[in-house]
Structures are given as structure tokens and as C-alpha cells.
């Protein structure tokens, strides 16, 4: 009989629950980067405006918010110029919802490729999150342009940017972690029963209204409601972003720590479940 | 030699039908029994043998059941079987696309799988970009692909189009490009599903040659699934026959192919065969049809120089003149060897039955099994022919002894290179004045 340790590949029905092969994932990093490139380069192939769509979409969204939420509903913008306030929210929220949308359909979208070849399935959602960074980058640049226009020409010196703006990369990381965690959790739950999928769009829309994207935390005077909104792990992230750049909003380290803890737990649960499902999802998807 | 892959009682259970509300109740019951009551999975017991054509009582089938064998390092193993026999499921498990229900596979070295050519090709990207994409999906690193890029492009023969999006490629070119990438993978174990079925003859030859190099030259292990029996024979040393999810045969590739073809053609060694509707070709007029075919000598074994004498009964629906009977002899891997068309014609009246003694002079078939197919019809190659009834692989013959004085030849007869007929010959030395 051969010794056990001679075998380099062992395929069996079930792996240990917490067995996630990170070394293998790292081995496939080139593939991940290629997927990122593919996602980016093929998204707007054969369109006239091409990458300009990255800018058209948020601009239209901001204009719509200005009409609906400010013009009609008259919701406060924390005393900030409307385009700037909405753009900050859109920038953050869009990244989160784009990532969530893409990662939550990982199994269903890639069934044909997953059915033919093995590579760590996590590569796909990670690549989605990374490739959405480009879009975020462009929207963030747009935000900075609008910011610069207001700061320099329109209301010089009245926007109180502070050092917390430097936290932006951390905030984006938190968004990415939460979107990834939630997305893979979701995609694992929906391989067999797709009922939840039908709820996702609705749920994401609701979630946006529960996040200070089109309204500031400061408008909520009811203490209970304020607390409820603070429990949304996205709230501290979006508020911190607005606070850093625009000087208006609520910033608390406690809130951010809560978001971070939430993101870590969510991601861990998501990855473990995803890892479990990936082995047999082909039979049920 | 050491074992490269070990299959230990691999089984795979599938649930048939749609995933819907009923599935949830099954899942809950299963979860309850296994995790709460700690009993055996209730649905595993009732799983049935996977027979595609018959309707079973259970919603669960074993796509694979107790597959247990070992593959030596450097071996090329052909896996053959009918559609739905479990070949692809086995490869899927091996390439980790899905996990087995029970059992385990242990292997030494990386497993590279090729269940499809050009997995992950994106139509909008160029050939070059897709080489990187496909290579990475198959497990190569970027540096590795860059190193082999020229070789891959050269092998594919698509150099001119390499910077064109693959959506402009012909399907053959896509396959060539995909295979070129796969051929330059170097895992210790290569798993290949029928990818050679596509591409032109030149490319197939190239692909088969490459696979031979891989196994012979570089000592790598290859598992090859195909319906192309000639390719299996040529490439593989070992063969495994799967039937309804179970292993029905394991042995040399040659024997496995033989076994499979005989099974597939519902190998018929009966002395007298009554022709049933399932045996007939569809869409024939059956103006004249076969009723029975019988070996006159009382069994189907013949010596290499023995005439094959058949008793054939036909019945007609309409009166037909100038009928003839054809017989084609095929090898068990579906290669036609020779055909005879009766030189004597017959007329037959409406509703009439006729019996014939049909003698075929043995062309020198070498030892082995052969399948006989028959047709009855009118006309010939010049005027165009019409067959009223065609019965494929109606009966078989078994050549069990060589011609006299040729025993030694038969001992090491290699059908793969020499064919199936030992020609009769004479060699006379001529004196110089004869020339």
C-alpha cells in the first residue's frame, strides 16, 4: 500500500466545513486579474459612448435625485450643494450595489464555465469586486471634479474637508468586503432555490433607502429610528465618507468598528458557505 | 510503475426531474434523517441503476455506482460507453466540477481537464487574449503562457487571425486555438473528453499525435473519453467500459473496444435470427423484407478459409423483379471491411415468401468477431439503387481458427496496423529470360 501522503489530490464527497484553500486561490491570481481585464474591456465593446457610460449613468442619477428628493420631497442635504451631496452618496452606494449585483449571481452567470473546468470559484466574485473598482474610480474622479468646482469657484472655502477623507480606501474596502460577503452568501443560497433571487432587486432598493444616500443622518430626529438606521452597517461608511470630504455628517469610530466587524463576519460566513456549495452546485444550479 | 490515480468506490446520485417545491420537502426529510436522527440517507437506498430508456419508479438514480479502479502512471486509459453511461459524470468528478456522493479519488500530481475546448473564450477578445484567458482557466500562470505563446499560436495554425476577436473565427479555428492551449498544459494527469470529434482531419491527426507524445514521451497519465473507437484503440493502452453507471469491463483498450462494440450492437450469436422491427433501418419501404437469417452450419464459428453459408428468408409486400441481396461485414468497431452483392437476381410475387442459401466466400478474415449487415433491394451503382429493407448487424460470425499453414502469422496478428484480412497470395520466382 502507498503511503497516504503520496497523494497530492484527493477528491471526496465532503471537505471539512472550514477548509478554505487560500493557497490555491493565490495560485490562481493571474486568472483573477485576467477576469478583471475581461470584465472591464468587454463591458462596453461595440457601444458608441464606450466608457463614457461610466459617467453618464451617475450624472443622470444625480439629476434625478435633485428633482425627486430635493425638488419634490424637499429632503435636506445637510446644507451642502445638492450635486455634491448626491454624488457622494451615489459614488459609494453604486459601488456597493454593483458589486452585490454581480457577485450574487456568480453561480448562475458562470454555470457554463464552472461546468467545464475547475478553478477556485471564489476567483469570479473577487474579480467582479475588483473590476468594479474601475467604475468606482471614474465616479470618484467625477465626484472630485464636482467637489473642486464648488470648493474653488462656487462657494470657495465653505466645504470643510478634513483628514478623515484619507479613510476613503478603508471605506471602499469595507464596502467591497460587505458586498462580496453578502454576494457570495446570497449566490450560495440561491443555487438550488431561486426564490430569494426574485427578492434581491427589491431588497437592494430598500436597502438604499435605509442607507443615508439621498438623505443625511442629521435629518432623523426620532431617536429610535436613528438607532435603527445606525444598525445598517453601510450607514457609518457612507456617513464617514461624506463627513471626510464634505464636513457634514456623522462620524464615529464606534460605528466604523461596527461596520468592520460586520464585514469580517459576513465575509467569513459567506466564504465558508460558498466553499461548501461550490463543490456540488453544478448538480442543482 | 506506480499508481497515478485511484478510484475508490466512486458513486454519484442524481435526482431526476425539476428542482421545485417537492425538492424542498425531500431535502428537509433528508436533512432530518441524516443530521438529526443520524440514520442513512433515505434516498440513497432507493437510487436505481441508471438506465436512460426505461422508466423507473424512483426519482433518484445512480449516475455512477461503485467505480473502482486504478490507473498506472504513464498509462492512457480510454473510457467508453453509451450516451448516459456515466463517462462525463466520471470526468466531471475527476476534474472537480462536481463532487462524488460517496467514495473518493486519490491522485498524484496536478489534474488538468479538458471537458470542452476553449472554455472561457470571450467572443469580443482577440485570439491572443483568449489564449491567456483559457490558459489561466486551465491552471497555467501568466508567465507560463507567455513562455509558450509562440508554440501555441504555431500549433493552432491561426497566426494570421491571432489579433482578431474570436467571434470572427470559424468554429474550426476556435477549436484549434482551444486545443492548442490545452495541448500545452503540463499537468501530470490529463483528462480529455471527446474534443477530437471536431476539427478537420489534419488537425485531428495533429491532436492525436500530440496526445501520444504527452503520454509516451513525457510519461504523463491520460484519461480519454470518446466515441471514436479508432482513436481509443490508437491512443489508449487500457480501456474501461461503463454501462448504466457501472463498470462493465476493464482491460486492454483493444479488448474493451471489442467488448463495447459487441454489447452496443446487441451482439447476436444466435444461429437463427428472427428480424424484428427494431433491427431494421427506419424509413425503408419494406416492399421486400427480411424474415430470418440463419447460419446453415448450425453455429456462427468459422475457420478463416471456411465459406460463410447463410439461410435467408424474405417476404414481399408487392411483387418485385430483379431483386438482390447484399451483405456487409464490419469489424466490432464499426469499420466496414467488405461487401458482397448477390450476382444472381430473383423475382418475387406479392405476398410471397422465399428462402435462399447465401454463400459468401471467406475473403481471409483474421481471427476475431465480425458483424454482418444485410440489405435487400433493386438496382446497382450505375442505375442507382433502392433498398427495401436494411438490417444492420443482424448476426455475427466468429472466426476462431486461421487458415492451415498460417498459424504462426495469426499468433502475432496486429489488426490495428495490418487490418482484418490476410490476403491469399503466390510468389513465384521468375527466371531472367521471362522478364
Amino acid at each position: 500500500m502507498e503511503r497516504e501522503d503520496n497523494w497530492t489530490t484527493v477528491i471526496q464527497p465532503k471537505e471539512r466545513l472550514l477548509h478554505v484553500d487560500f493557497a490555491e486561490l493565490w495560485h490562481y491570481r493571474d486568472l483573477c486579474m485576467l477576469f478583471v481585464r475581461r470584465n472591464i474591456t468587454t463591458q462596453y465593446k461595440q457601444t458608441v459612448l464606450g466608457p463614457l457610460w461610466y459617467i453618464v449613468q451617475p450624472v443622470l442619477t444625480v439629476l434625478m435625485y435633485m428633482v425627486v428628493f430635493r425638488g419634490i420631497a424637499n429632503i435636506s442635504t445637510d446644507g451642502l450643494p445638492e450635486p455634491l451631496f448626491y454624488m457622494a452618496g451615489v459614488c459609494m452606494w453604486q459601488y456597493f450595489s454593483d458589486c452585490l449585483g454581480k457577485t450574487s449571481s456568480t453561480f448562475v452567470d458562470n454555470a457554463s464555465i464552472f461546468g467545464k473546468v475547475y478553478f477556485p470559484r471564489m476567483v469570479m466574485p473577487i474579480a467582479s469586486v475588483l473590476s468594479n473598482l474601475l467604475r468606482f474610480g471614474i465616479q470618484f474622479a467625477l465626484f472630485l471634479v464636482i467637489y473642486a468646482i464648488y470648493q474653488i469657484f462656487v462657494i470657495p472655502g465653505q466645504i470643510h474637508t478634513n483628514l478623515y477623507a484619507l479613510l476613503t480606501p478603508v471605506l471602499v474596502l469595507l464596502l467591497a468586503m460587505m458586498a462580496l460577503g453578502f454576494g457570495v452568501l446570497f449566490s450560495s443560497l440561491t443555487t438550488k432555490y431561486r426564490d430569494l433571487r426574485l427578492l434581491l432587486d427589491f431588497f437592494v432598493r430598500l436597502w438604499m433607502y435605509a442607507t443615508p444616500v439621498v438623505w443625511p443622518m442629521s435629518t432623523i430626529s426620532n431617536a429610535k429610528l436613528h438607532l435603527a438606521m445606525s444598525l445598517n452597517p453601510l450607514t457609518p461608511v457612507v456617513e464617514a465618507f461624506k463627513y471626510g470630504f464634505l464636513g457634514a455628517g456623522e462620524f464615529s469610530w464606534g460605528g466604523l468598528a461596527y461596520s468592520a466587524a460586520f464585514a469580517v463576519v459576513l465575509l467569513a460566513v459567506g466564504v465558508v458557505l460558498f466553499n461548501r456549495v461550490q463543490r456540488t452546485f453544478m448538480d442543482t444550479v | 510503475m506506480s499508481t497515478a490515480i485511484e478510484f475508490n468506490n466512486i458513486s454519484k446520485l442524481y435526482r431526476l426531474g425539476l428542482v421545485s417545491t417537492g425538492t424542498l420537502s425531500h431535502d428537509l426529510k433528508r436533512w432530518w434523517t441524516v443530521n438529526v436522527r443520524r440514520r442513512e440517507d433515505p434516498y440513497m437506498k432507493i437510487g436505481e441503476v441508471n438506465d436512460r430508456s426505461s422508466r423507473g419508479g424512483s426519482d433518484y438514480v445512480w449516475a455512477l455506482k461503485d467505480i473502482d479502479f486504478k490507473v498506472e502512471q504513464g498509462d492512457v486509459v480510454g473510457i467508453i460507453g453509451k450516451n448516459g453511461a456515466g463517462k462525463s459524470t466520471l470526468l466531471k468528478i475527476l476534474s472537480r466540477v462536481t463532487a462524488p456522493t460517496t467514495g473518493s479519488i486519490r491522485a498524484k500530481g496536478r489534474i488538468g481537464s479538458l471537458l470542452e475546448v476553449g472554455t472561457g473564450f470571450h467572443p469580443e477578445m482577440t485570439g491572443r487574449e483568449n489564449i491567456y484567458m483559457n490558459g489561466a482557466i486551465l491552471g497555467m500562470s501568466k508567465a507560463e503562457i507567455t513562455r509558450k505563446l509562440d508554440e501555441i499560436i504555431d500549433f493552432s495554425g491561426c497566426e494570421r487571425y491571432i489579433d482578431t476577436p474570436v467571434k470572427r473565427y470559424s468554429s474550426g479555428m476556435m477549436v484549434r486555438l482551444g486545443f492548442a492551449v490545452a495541448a500545452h498544459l503540463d499537468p501530470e494527469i490529463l483528462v480529455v473528453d471527446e474534443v477530437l470529434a471536431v476539427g478537420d482531419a489534419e488537425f485531428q491527426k495533429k491532436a492525436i499525435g500530440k496526445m501520444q507524445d504527452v503520454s509516451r514521451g513525457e510519461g504523463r497519465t491520460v484519461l480519454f473519453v470518446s466515441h471514436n473507437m479508432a482513436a481509443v484503440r490508437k491512443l489508449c493502452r487500457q480501456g474501461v467500459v461503463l454501462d448504466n453507471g457501472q463498470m462493465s469491463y476493464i482491460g486492454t483498450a483493444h479488448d474493451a473496444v471489442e467488448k463495447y462494440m459487441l454489447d452496443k450492437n446487441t451482439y447476436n450469436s444466435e444461429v437463427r435470427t428472427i428480424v424484428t422491427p427494431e433491427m431494421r433501418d427506419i424509413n425503408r419501404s419494406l416492399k421486400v423484407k427480411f424474415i430470418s437469417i440463419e447460419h446453415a452450419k448450425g453455429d456462427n464459428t468459422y475457420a478463416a478459409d471456411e465459406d460463410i453459408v447463410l439461410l435467408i428468408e424474405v417476404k414481399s409486400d408487392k411483387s418485385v423483379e430483379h431483386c438482390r441481396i447484399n451483405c456487409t461485414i464490419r469489424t466490432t468497431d464499426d469499420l466496414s471491411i467488405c461487401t458482397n452483392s448477390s450476382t444472381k437476381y430473383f423475382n418475387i410475387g406479392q405476398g410471397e415468401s422465399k428462402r435462399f442459401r447465401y454463400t459468401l466466400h471467406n475473403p481471409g478474415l483474421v481471427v476475431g468477431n465480425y458483424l454482418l449487415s444485410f440489405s435487400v433491394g433493386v438496382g446497382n451503382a450505375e442505375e442507382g439503387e433502392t433498398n427495401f429493407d436494411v438490417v444492420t448487424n443482424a448476426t455475427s460470425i466468429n472466426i476462431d481458427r486461421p487458415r492451415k499453414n498460417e498459424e504462426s502469422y495469426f499468433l502475432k496478428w496486429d489488426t490495428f496496423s495490418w487490418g482484418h484480412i490476410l490476403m491469399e497470395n503466390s510468389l513465384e520466382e521468375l527466371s531472367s529470360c521471362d522478364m
Side-chain angles (χ1 to χ4, degrees):
Chain A
M1 253 342 264
E2 329 249 352
R3 283 185 307 127
E4 277 295 311
D5 52 358
N6 270 347
W7 304 104
T8 52
T9 310
V10 176
I11 301 169
Q12 49 199 13
K14 285 198 173 99
E15 298 269 11
R16 274 170 299 132
L17 186 61
L18 294 175
H19 180 89
V20 182
D21 200 341
F22 290 106
E24 191 187 34
L25 202 55
W26 177 245
H27 178 82
Y28 278 90
R29 62 191 181 279
D30 283 344
L31 179 62
C32 188
M33 292 327 287
L34 280 164
F35 277 131
V36 170
R37 241 188 86 183
R38 187 192 74 173
N39 291 347
I40 291 170
T41 56
T42 57
Q43 193 164 22
Y44 290 108
K45 279 256 168 92
Q46 284 208 355
T47 60
V48 178
L49 292 181
L52 262 183
W53 281 109
Y54 284 128
I55 291 176
V56 174
Q57 280 165 356
V59 166
L60 289 177
T61 312
V62 167
L63 286 176
M64 192 188 75
Y65 288 174
M66 284 166 66
V67 173
V68 177
F69 297 111
R70 185 68 194 154
I72 300 173
N74 200 20
I75 297 172
S76 146
T77 54
D78 249 359
L80 293 164
E82 297 153 26
L84 201 50
F85 177 81
Y86 289 130
M87 191 61 215
V90 165
C91 209
M92 297 302 266
W93 175 258
Q94 198 69 44
Y95 179 63
F96 177 77
S97 75
D98 281 349
C99 288
L100 183 55
K102 267 268 175 261
T103 52
S104 63
S105 56
T106 303
F107 284 123
V108 179
D109 287 350
N110 300 298
S112 65
I113 186 169
F114 284 177
K116 292 299 177 189
V117 68
Y118 175 81
F119 53 84
R121 298 339 189 181
M122 263 320 266
V123 166
M124 278 294 187
I126 291 176
S128 303
V129 169
L130 290 178
S131 48
N132 274 326
L133 273 179
L134 177 77
R135 186 171 175 165
F136 171 78
I138 291 173
Q139 297 188 351
F140 184 62
L142 182 66
F143 167 75
L144 289 181
V145 169
I146 299 174
Y147 169 80
I149 291 171
Y150 275 95
Q151 184 73 304
I152 299 165
F153 303 107
V154 187
I155 40 170
Q158 288 182 41
I159 303 169
H160 308 290
T161 306
N162 49 57
L163 275 178
Y164 289 116
L166 295 177
L167 276 176
T168 305
V170 178
L171 301 179
V172 173
L173 179 71
L174 286 178
L175 286 182
M177 282 169 70
M178 279 190 268
L180 183 64
F182 195 71
V184 294
L185 187 71
F186 200 84
S187 64
S188 314
L189 293 174
T190 51
T191 54
K192 197 157 184 183
Y193 302 109
R194 300 199 182 166
D195 307 44
L196 284 174
R197 248 210 100 59
L198 302 170
L199 273 177
L200 183 74
D201 280 347
F202 178 66
F203 178 74
V204 169
R205 221 171 310 151
L206 275 189
W207 200 347
M208 188 185 104
Y209 294 119
T211 310
V213 175
V214 292
W215 47 267
M217 276 302 267
S218 59
T219 49
I220 304 179
S221 45
N222 182 330
K224 274 182 190 160
L225 193 59
H226 193 279
L227 179 68
M229 289 304 172
S230 307
L231 285 178
N232 173 0
L234 287 178
T235 302
V237 178
V238 175
E239 283 289 297
F241 180 74
K242 285 182 182 166
Y243 181 76
F245 275 96
L246 309 178
E250 289 178 6
F251 180 88
S252 82
W253 286 109
L256 271 188
Y258 164 70
S259 293
F262 193 94
V264 168
V265 172
L266 186 67
L267 188 58
V269 172
V271 167
V272 166
L273 198 69
F274 186 89
N275 195 51
R276 209 175 151 76
V277 167
Q278 68 164 358
R279 299 173 46 76
T280 52
F281 94 99
M282 269 319 294
D283 306 338
T284 50
V285 77
Chain B
M1 261 197 211
S2 63
T3 312
I5 318 170
E6 200 179 83
F7 295 80
N8 297 315
N9 286 309
I10 288 289
S11 298
K12 177 81 187 173
L13 188 70
Y14 275 119
R15 185 185 199 276
L16 302 181
L18 298 168
V19 173
S20 61
T21 327
T23 332
L24 183 62
S25 69
H26 275 207
D27 279 356
L28 291 175
K29 188 172 172 189
R30 178 185 248 163
W31 178 84
W32 176 256
T33 334
V34 178
N35 292 348
V36 182
R37 296 178 62 204
R38 301 273 161 206
R39 300 272 172 80
E40 203 183 325
D41 189 334
Y43 293 107
M44 271 208 204
K45 276 184 281 183
I46 57 172
E48 292 182 339
V49 161
N50 178 22
D51 185 344
R52 169 167 47 86
S53 47
S54 74
R55 198 180 172 82
S58 162
D59 271 350
Y60 292 85
V61 291
W62 290 105
L64 285 177
K65 185 94 177 118
D66 301 329
I67 303 297
D68 195 292
F69 66 99
K70 285 177 186 176
V71 179
E72 297 289 302
Q73 201 209 320
D75 235 351
V76 186
V77 180
I79 297 171
I80 51 187
K82 282 183 282 197
N83 285 334
K87 308 181 297 277
S88 301
T89 307
L90 187 63
L91 291 201
K92 273 185 182 165
I93 291 174
L94 193 57
S95 41
R96 291 195 287 168
V97 165
T98 185
T101 309
T102 62
S104 66
I105 297 175
R106 296 189 292 178
K108 279 180 205 144
R110 276 203 292 169
I111 301 176
S113 71
L114 195 49
L115 301 193
E116 176 190 70
V117 183
T119 312
F121 270 14
H122 195 289
E124 300 285 355
M125 299 199 302
T126 68
R128 194 186 301 275
E129 287 169 332
N130 271 311
I131 289 179
Y132 277 100
M133 193 75 230
N134 187 230
I137 285 179
L138 294 172
M140 286 197 257
S141 70
K142 209 169 168 181
E144 217 177 328
I145 303 169
T146 308
R147 193 151 33 81
K148 292 177 179 167
L149 190 63
D150 290 338
E151 225 178 305
I152 292 173
I153 295 174
D154 190 49
F155 187 87
S156 74
C158 299
E159 193 162 3
R160 188 155 184 194
Y161 292 83
I162 207 67
D163 291 312
T164 306
V166 296
K167 65 178 174 183
R168 310 263 176 251
Y169 280 32
S170 74
S171 52
M173 276 161 59
M174 288 251 236
V175 171
R176 296 175 79 114
L177 193 66
F179 189 85
V181 178
H184 290 82
L185 273 177
D186 39 28
E188 290 79 5
I189 297 162
L190 189 63
V191 177
V192 188
D193 200 356
E194 293 199 278
V195 285
L196 303 176
V198 273
D200 54 23
E202 176 218 334
F203 188 71
Q204 283 196 21
K205 210 170 158 187
K206 210 164 160 180
I208 289 189
K210 180 72 191 177
M211 285 181 50
Q212 277 177 326
D213 291 350
V214 163
S215 63
R216 284 184 199 158
E218 300 158 34
R220 281 189 261 149
T221 313
V222 181
L223 266 87
F224 178 55
V225 163
S226 178
H227 283 125
N228 181 348
M229 293 302 140
V232 170
R233 270 199 188 169
K234 183 160 187 184
L235 270 172
C236 305
R237 209 164 18 224
Q238 295 289 310
V240 173
V241 183
L242 291 182
D243 189 25
N244 292 335
Q246 286 162 317
M247 244 170 56
S248 69
Y249 185 82
I250 178 163
T252 65
H254 183 276
D255 291 351
V257 168
E258 184 110 326
K259 175 82 175 56
Y260 166 67
M261 293 309 295
L262 290 175
D263 278 353
K264 189 186 100 175
N265 294 322
T266 48
Y267 175 51
N268 184 354
S269 58
E270 302 274 314
V271 175
R272 182 157 191 261
T273 307
I274 308 287
V275 179
T276 56
E278 303 87 71
M279 296 165 72
R280 299 180 205 280
D281 256 23
I282 48 169
N283 295 333
R284 298 288 177 187
S285 67
L286 302 182
K287 265 187 203 167
V288 181
K289 61 183 182 186
F290 290 105
I291 300 297
S292 68
I293 293 158
E294 184 179 350
H295 292 276
K297 64 182 280 199
D299 67 59
N300 73 335
T301 51
Y302 297 87
D305 51 0
E306 191 178 349
D307 283 350
I308 298 149
V309 186
L310 300 156
L311 299 174
I312 293 179
E313 189 179 347
V314 297
K315 188 171 195 283
S316 86
D317 217 21
K318 301 230 163 62
S319 66
V320 182
E321 297 189 331
H322 285 296
C323 259
R324 45 104 191 114
I325 291 175
N326 281 15
C327 173
T328 299
I329 301 185
R330 287 203 182 81
T331 61
T332 47
D333 51 348
D334 253 355
L335 180 71
S336 298
I337 301 178
C338 54
T339 294
N340 166 275
S341 186
S342 63
T343 37
K344 198 165 172 193
Y345 295 98
F346 63 90
N347 300 335
I348 188 164
Q350 190 169 358
E352 195 184 351
S353 287
K354 280 195 167 178
R355 270 168 72 83
F356 298 98
R357 173 189 296 274
Y358 187 22
T359 305
L360 299 164
H361 301 300
N362 197 324
L365 293 169
V366 300
V367 171
N369 288 298
Y370 299 90
L371 298 160
L372 269 51
S373 305
F374 299 88
S375 68
V376 56
V378 292
N380 55 36
E382 267 172 53
E383 299 162 8
E385 30 178 24
T386 311
N387 284 324
F388 302 133
D389 190 11
V390 177
V391 185
T392 307
N393 302 337
T395 185
S396 66
I397 55 172
N398 174 16
I399 306 293
D400 66 341
R401 351 178 249 290
R403 274 193 287 241
K404 288 187 188 72
N405 309 324
E406 283 167 352
E407 282 89 349
S408 59
Y409 223 149
F410 275 99
L411 283 178
K412 51 176 194 278
W413 188 271
D414 170 11
T415 43
F416 193 79
S417 3
W418 300 346
H420 297 271
I421 292 174
L422 176 58
M423 287 185 283
E424 283 188 85
N425 64 80
S426 65
L427 183 69
E428 295 159 41
E429 191 167 334
L430 304 179
S431 59
S432 49
C433 59
D434 284 345
M435 285 180 75

